[in-house]
Amino acid sequence: MMRFLRPVWLVCLAGLLNAQITLPGTPAPRPEAPKKAPRMPGQPAPQLPADLAEGPVIRATVNVVLVPTTVTDEKGRFVQGLEPQDFLLYDNDKLQTINRDIAALPLSLVVCIQRSNNIDTMLPKIRRIGNVLNDLLIGQDGEAAILAFDHRIELFQDFTQDPDKINEAVKQIRPGSTSSRLNDAVQTAVRLLRYKKDRRKVILLIAETLDRGSEASVREVATELQLHNVDVYTLNINRLVTRLTEKPQLPRPDPFPPGTRPRPGIAPADPTTQAQISGAPGYAAEFVPVIEEIFRAAKAIFIKNPAEVYTKFTGGREFGFTTQNGLERAIAAIGSEIRNQYILSYSPNNKLEGGFHRIRVEVNRPRVRVRTRPGYWMAAVPE
């Protein structure tokens, strides 16, 4: 099947794309400060749409925009064989001319795996996916690197096409500390991929949707992902499952010598009162991790997790799993989507419109579903 150009995120630097597309692995120079969009007197400044307000804001001058697009039928099956003339692409509701460039790019993949000690029960499932990664995702011409993280960011295997090395690296991952530097791990993966030329660059993140201890912010990492044309797909580990199954931490030493801990008021020293005072095993303590996780889950309703931001702003997807079969099915789904995605490229005909540009893609086929990136920021460009 004929394929369009490799996706490059909608953040293109002025001067890099005057006449041709920058190769995906080319290092990007430091961007200049964007120019402010011209506004008529009394006209309000453009605002980020409400549904994207918590995500990173990137402003740049754009000469060529590339849009990864997934087209499925009513049953979720990929629609193949489409040509540029089958698509209608709108930038801020203005119809654009789609270029007819065609290219096929092999895959460069970094697998980032959380290894903090609270996911000890999930790691055996993850350690068995080496062969699945190679067969269902990486492919014949692809390459992969294996990265694991807790409070450390450790490269277990640099880029290789050898499936045995990939499988062995995944098997070597063992649980570590209580930290989980998710943002720092994704940032490290971007820097491994940034100089890959003429390849599709993808990060597969296998982790909880929670960062513990990173120095990098979500905004910083999302910016690097977009500037270096990296897509993110996530396999989310259910945090409630890990909290219910994690090994209990060793209790802190009691600062009071035996028999000297004060009792509240004049309560009698019966077994129940003594258990409440001493924190005896089995009394309410086992419910604390569950209460903490319920609080985190409720908080996540209002605050987007890193996985959601990274996938939404790079065109990837989130998948969840709890079983071995679920994990392998999710990997197969990611591989299938990458191989069946259309990459549409166009030069905007509305460069004078500064601010956020919404992208909308339609297909002239009945009863199909189209999924693509929501849009991009652009400084106004004088004609």
Side-chain angles (χ1 to χ4, degrees):
M1 181 185 69
M2 301 293 282
R3 305 296 302 277
F4 306 122
L5 272 175
R6 162 73 181 96
V8 174
W9 177 237
L10 313 171
V11 191
C12 306
L13 303 179
L16 282 178
L17 299 175
N18 289 331
Q20 51 186 309
I21 297 173
T22 302
L23 294 178
T26 303
R30 185 181 299 275
E32 297 180 358
K35 300 178 182 179
K36 294 183 178 180
R39 300 196 307 273
M40 298 298 293
Q43 179 183 356
Q47 299 294 322
L48 185 67
D51 59 331
L52 303 178
E54 295 179 9
V57 177
I58 311 298
R59 297 176 174 88
T61 300
V62 174
N63 288 335
V64 176
V65 177
L66 292 94
V67 185
T69 303
T70 302
V71 183
T72 57
D73 61 17
E74 293 177 315
K75 296 183 178 180
R77 296 172 298 194
F78 294 105
V79 177
Q80 300 180 348
L82 299 177
E83 297 293 337
Q85 59 268 22
D86 296 320
F87 293 88
L88 295 175
L89 192 153
Y90 296 89
D91 185 310
N92 278 354
D93 294 324
K94 293 180 175 60
L95 184 63
Q96 305 293 319
T97 300
I98 299 174
N99 299 330
R100 300 184 59 86
D101 300 314
I102 297 173
L105 298 175
L107 177 68
S108 287
L109 173 73
V110 178
V111 184
C112 296
I113 301 174
Q114 179 182 342
R115 62 170 178 181
S116 52
N117 58 13
N118 64 304
I119 66 163
D120 181 41
T121 58
M122 303 300 291
L123 277 177
K125 299 180 178 66
I126 297 172
R127 286 197 290 263
R128 292 197 288 267
I129 66 170
N131 291 329
V132 177
L133 286 172
N134 185 74
D135 295 340
L136 301 180
L137 181 55
I138 300 171
Q140 181 177 1
D141 299 323
E143 60 179 6
I146 307 299
L147 194 73
F149 63 95
D150 49 359
H151 70 284
R152 302 156 293 176
I153 312 295
E154 185 174 354
L155 182 64
F156 275 66
Q157 175 61 56
D158 204 348
F159 287 104
T160 180
Q161 294 182 332
D162 188 337
D164 294 332
K165 290 183 178 180
I166 295 170
N167 192 32
E168 186 61 29
V170 175
K171 286 182 178 179
Q172 291 176 3
I173 298 175
R174 295 293 182 271
S177 65
T178 58
S179 297
S180 176
R181 292 169 55 194
L182 185 152
N183 294 337
D184 290 347
V186 175
Q187 186 179 60
T188 301
V190 174
R191 293 172 181 178
L192 289 173
L193 288 164
R194 62 191 300 179
Y195 296 120
K196 290 292 179 179
K197 296 182 179 181
D198 302 322
R199 303 187 72 89
R200 176 160 193 182
K201 295 176 285 187
V202 174
I203 294 173
L204 176 62
L205 177 63
I206 308 177
E208 299 174 297
T209 57
L210 183 67
D211 182 275
R212 298 185 183 95
S214 282
E215 297 179 4
S217 68
V218 173
R219 182 182 296 267
E220 292 171 337
V221 177
T223 301
E224 292 194 39
L225 287 166
Q226 294 179 356
L227 289 175
H228 298 292
N229 315 317
V230 180
D231 302 331
V232 177
Y233 289 84
T234 66
L235 297 174
N236 298 337
I237 300 173
N238 188 296
R239 297 205 303 263
L240 186 58
V241 171
T242 59
R243 293 296 282 173
L244 288 172
T245 59
E246 69 177 331
K247 295 179 180 178
Q249 301 295 315
L250 293 175
R252 295 181 178 179
D254 194 338
F256 295 95
T260 63
R261 176 179 289 275
R263 293 194 298 271
I266 57 174
D270 54 64
T272 301
T273 303
Q274 197 64 35
Q276 293 172 335
I277 295 173
S278 61
Y283 185 87
E286 66 268 25
F287 296 106
V288 172
V290 179
I291 294 172
E292 290 178 352
E293 193 54 44
I294 291 174
F295 172 77
R296 288 195 183 100
K299 185 178 179 182
I301 296 174
F302 306 99
I303 301 177
K304 291 182 179 180
N305 60 62
E308 181 181 357
V309 174
Y310 299 153
T311 54
K312 184 172 184 178
F313 280 83
T314 65
R317 289 181 64 190
E318 292 184 87
F319 295 84
F321 73 95
T322 54
T323 65
Q324 188 72 43
N325 288 337
L327 176 59
E328 294 178 3
R329 286 196 301 269
I331 293 173
I334 294 171
S336 181
E337 175 162 318
I338 289 176
R339 289 188 295 271
N340 288 280
Q341 206 167 46
Y342 295 93
I343 309 305
L344 311 178
S345 67
Y346 70 99
S347 180
N349 59 19
N350 52 346
K351 296 185 179 69
L352 286 177
E353 298 178 8
F356 188 79
H357 284 226
R358 282 195 175 275
I359 292 176
R360 176 165 53 92
V361 177
E362 298 178 357
V363 178
N364 60 0
R365 298 285 180 91
R367 296 182 296 278
V368 296
R369 298 174 182 176
V370 181
R371 184 174 61 84
T372 189
R373 289 170 172 169
Y376 63 99
W377 275 93
M378 184 174 72
V381 180
E383 294 292 345

